[in-house]
Amino acid sequence: MNRHSVFFLALAALLLTGQRTAIAGVDTLWTRVYDPSGPGGTGYPTQLLADTSGAYVFGYYTANAQGDIVTVKYTNTAELAWAEHFHPREGVTHLRGAALHPSGGVVVCGEGLREGNGRYHDFDLVRYANDGTIEWQNTYCRDTFSLTALGMTVDPAGNTLVTGGYSSYLGPDDALFLAKVDPDGDEAWMQVWSPDTLKPEAGYMLTTDSAGYIYVGASVHQLHRNVACLLKFNSSGQLLWHQYFPSPDTETSTPEAVAVGRDGDVTMLVQARYGDPYMATCTWSASGAPRWVREFHSPDGRMSNSRALALDSAGNIHATGAVRLGPTNDDVVTVKYTPDGDTVFTALYVGEDYDDPYALALWSDGTFYVGGDGKDTLGEYRVMMLCFDAYGGLVGKHLLLPGTGAAPAVTVSPAGQVLAAAEIRPTPGAQKEIYLIGYTLTGEAHDVGCTRIVAPAGRVDTGLVVTPVCSLASYSTFDESYPVRLRIGGNYNETVQVENHHPGAHIEVRFPSWTVGPPGSYAVTCSTECADDPHPENDARRAVVTSTPPGIGEGGTVPGPVRPGRTILPRGGAARLGYSLGRASFVEASVLDAAGRTVCVLTHARQGAGAHELVWNRQDSSGRAVGRGVYYLRLAIDGRPAVRKLVLVE
């Protein structure tokens, strides 16, 4: 395979380092553009990876009705190392994934139509060494079936895993396939999954853990709708379990991303629709037991779309999506959850017009970056990079000029570089080209902002006296003194003066007490008012707090805390808890023993508004009767838990 010539445009020959200083914005450090010889081609980057030797940009390049899979390698000093095109068949070959190999280099997966037969698809793999040498390449096919590859990864042992759709052109034999290719490029096995009651559409993404277990995010057809499904296989291809995204019969859902966290828990990001689309994050244990589901809906009930998922070293989960707050505009939201599903913060960026996130990358200090596209003041779509601190506060936004485009991939390299792969149309009417962009955190400025409304938050009891608290961050290079204002509903408007807020420091500010009003929703806004602040987008945080009647017991209303007390169950008696929902909510209920272990799961699903009842018949998850003693009934509505003590008496 011949290498293609590459032309580079260097705006600056600088290099990012891992050193961090006080930050006030985001700026472009350098750009590199990929332009193979021969006019008339169009480049589309789709993936970006980095190891200790540099960065890899993956995409496809079309010219003269042909399509090549492109892999471009850059060094840590942003210089070209090599570039390769992979084109195993006539026509267009689509890039379906790429992954770093544990021995160095990368493995790239492509998919296209079988030569001489436009009815069947096959997939191809090629492994490149660090220097661009092809270690091996192969085509994987079945004589009478089509293999449509949609996702791939490489496990810690160097095996390549590919998933997608397995179907016959002659009949309705659709199924999900999972294939394993050994480190030498030979097929080890291929498994096909198709349960009797469902019709799998395909596996869309997959990941592995350190022990070699394989997790596939799939979509299946069920009752004339799509349902997201998570499957776990062992290293030999044996299916260990599968779980569906819990939802009503009228809801559709599709997987967007899968990641494995600490203790073997696996998280899936889901795009769901129950009325308006919303972003859902759900986690299962290593054994397949459901742990929790969290939903993010637009504050005004419009639209939220799932985009990207990332886990940090502590197991915390970042889920990013697009949220529609106005009649037409999209904005950016990132929700951080603990491994147990508690919400740490909701970072919301509301731009002037339209902003759409595509990719998410985490830094080891908790800072995170969101890449995508955004409209500038002229109405043009530009490559967008957003930077947030570890508390969810916006550090800054940067739109790359000139040229229209978007950044579908973002990463933070081991060398400490913040990188984005972008497709850019340099001038009107020109073809799109593949760019690699290096970013830096820049500037001296007077910059402070609100990172979180600590209290009031969520649901609070009517009549309760609350001390409002907000978290503030300084991105300035100076000590700052400024007022900060808090508004709650239409009757609370208080200002507190902050003195000598040091650069890089995070502080909490308390406001005069607020007495929770009658049942209903109250808008909460905290805003800093620092003079000469160049980044007003991080000044304000907004939330909605809901006032509810205090307390629930048997037959009470939810949400709200369970009243203190206990329920004593005589011999043979069942535990019952009635509750009502003011709106459709996700309900999780389980019984725990005195040590906090799960005895059984009573419900784990979205329920409509109205009256409901939980019944526990004193049995564990296997149907065995439990003995006397102390148990706890745990009920969580949209992630807000309530617990009631149960005492079983024989």
Side-chain angles (χ1 to χ4, degrees), residues 552-558 577-581 587 589 603 607 610-614 635 637:
I552 70 165
E554 272 72 36
T557 58
V558 171
L577 175 63
Y579 59 97
S580 61
L581 303 176
V587 180
T603 186
Q607 297 180 354
H612 302 269
E613 185 181 49
L614 291 172
L635 173 66
I637 309 298

Side-chain angles (χ1 to χ4, degrees), residues 51 89 125 142 157 168 189 244 302 392 458 515 581:
D51 59 17
R89 63 189 74 229
L125 295 174
R142 290 295 185 270
S168 169
W189 49 257
Y244 302 105
R302 289 182 57 80
T515 301
L581 303 176

Side-chain angles (χ1 to χ4, degrees), residues 69 86 88-89 92-94 96 109-125 138-150 162 165-167 177 190:
I69 295 176
F86 181 59
R89 63 189 74 229
V92 177
T93 300
H94 297 283
R96 295 308 189 191
C109 178
E111 178 263 325
L113 294 174
R114 186 175 305 172
E115 294 183 8
N117 189 337
R119 299 174 296 180
Y120 295 109
H121 292 248
D122 303 325
F123 69 90
D124 306 276
L125 295 174
N138 209 342
T139 297
Y140 307 86
C141 62
R142 290 295 185 270
D143 291 339
T144 60
F145 281 84
S146 179
L147 298 176
T148 303
L150 296 172
V162 181
Y166 182 98
S167 62
F177 83 84
M190 182 178 294

Side-chain angles (χ1 to χ4, degrees), residues 480-485 495-500 509 511 529:
E480 301 288 357
S481 298
Y482 55 92
V484 55
R485 185 186 302 273
T495 300
V496 171
Q497 181 68 22
V498 174
E499 299 291 344
N500 298 322
V509 174
F511 293 83
E529 300 176 6

Side-chain angles (χ1 to χ4, degrees), residues 189-349:
W189 49 257
M190 182 178 294
Q191 298 289 358
V192 178
W193 179 71
S194 181
D196 294 336
T197 58
L198 299 174
K199 180 182 178 182
E201 182 181 60
Y204 281 88
M205 69 283 303
L206 74 168
T207 189
T208 65
D209 61 21
S210 59
Y213 291 106
I214 307 160
Y215 303 85
V216 179
S219 177
V220 301
H221 296 297
Q222 184 182 50
L223 300 176
H224 308 291
R225 65 189 179 118
N226 286 342
V227 180
C229 179
L230 180 69
L231 303 95
K232 181 177 181 177
F233 298 83
N234 64 17
S235 59
S236 299
Q238 177 187 2
L239 178 64
L240 302 180
W241 52 259
H242 65 278
Q243 292 284 4
Y244 302 105
F245 175 69
S247 60
D249 291 341
T250 57
E251 183 175 73
T252 62
S253 57
T254 54
E256 296 295 329
V258 176
V260 180
R262 66 181 191 182
D263 301 326
D265 288 352
V266 58
T267 299
M268 183 164 66
L269 181 67
V270 173
Q271 176 64 55
R273 178 184 290 273
Y274 188 71
D276 290 317
Y278 66 91
M279 182 172 71
T281 308
C282 45
T283 294
W284 290 268
S285 70
S287 62
R291 294 205 58 222
W292 52 264
V293 175
R294 299 293 178 262
E295 299 176 1
F296 180 86
H297 298 261
S298 170
D300 63 359
R302 289 182 57 80
M303 183 177 72
S304 299
N305 292 322
S306 305
R307 291 287 192 265
L309 178 74
L311 274 62
D312 64 21
S313 58
N316 298 300
I317 299 157
H318 291 67
T320 293
V323 57
R324 182 161 295 177
L325 299 177
T328 58
N329 300 341
D330 282 0
D331 298 295
V332 180
V333 64
T334 300
V335 186
K336 179 179 180 180
Y337 303 102
T338 67
D340 294 324
D342 299 323
T343 300
V344 179
F345 60 69
T346 300
L348 183 65
Y349 172 74

Side-chain angles (χ1 to χ4, degrees), residues 625-643:
V626 301
R628 66 181 180 180
V630 175
Y631 297 85
Y632 296 91
L633 177 61
R634 183 185 186 276
L635 173 66
I637 309 298
D638 286 335
R640 185 169 186 263
V643 179

